[in-house]
Amino acid sequence: QLKTLPRWIWQEAEAVVDAAIAANEANEAVIVTGGPNKAIAALTRLAPESLMMNQMRSQSARFRRME
């Protein structure tokens, strides 16, 4: 199902790993990598919490593995 995500949201694994290692060395608990992800993260901080919770609830089932 992850293949349904748009191509522009994907990142190279090496870049994500490099960012994670740098964040770990800087003692950062949370890291958001990539321009699109940073923009999405910023927008979610501006949106009302109730709106974001409803959006997450409606979309989360798409990414859960049902066995």
Side-chain angles (χ1 to χ4, degrees):
Q1 281 187 330
L2 290 179
K3 290 182 181 180
T4 62
L5 292 173
R7 176 167 277 193
W8 56 266
I9 201 119
W10 289 94
Q11 300 174 54
E12 294 295 324
E14 185 175 339
V16 175
V17 170
D18 290 345
I21 290 170
N24 185 43
E25 290 173 351
N27 205 27
E28 295 179 27
V30 176
I31 182 77
V32 178
T33 61
N37 290 332
K38 289 179 181 183
I40 292 167
L43 289 173
T44 60
R45 286 187 210 105
L46 298 174
E49 184 176 350
S50 60
L51 174 68
M52 296 314 303
M53 292 301 288
N54 286 337
Q55 182 67 17
M56 286 185 348
R57 193 176 300 114
S58 71
Q59 296 297 314
S60 64
R62 292 179 48 203
F63 300 103
R64 285 194 196 124
R65 175 179 273 170
M66 301 299 212
E67 294 183 44

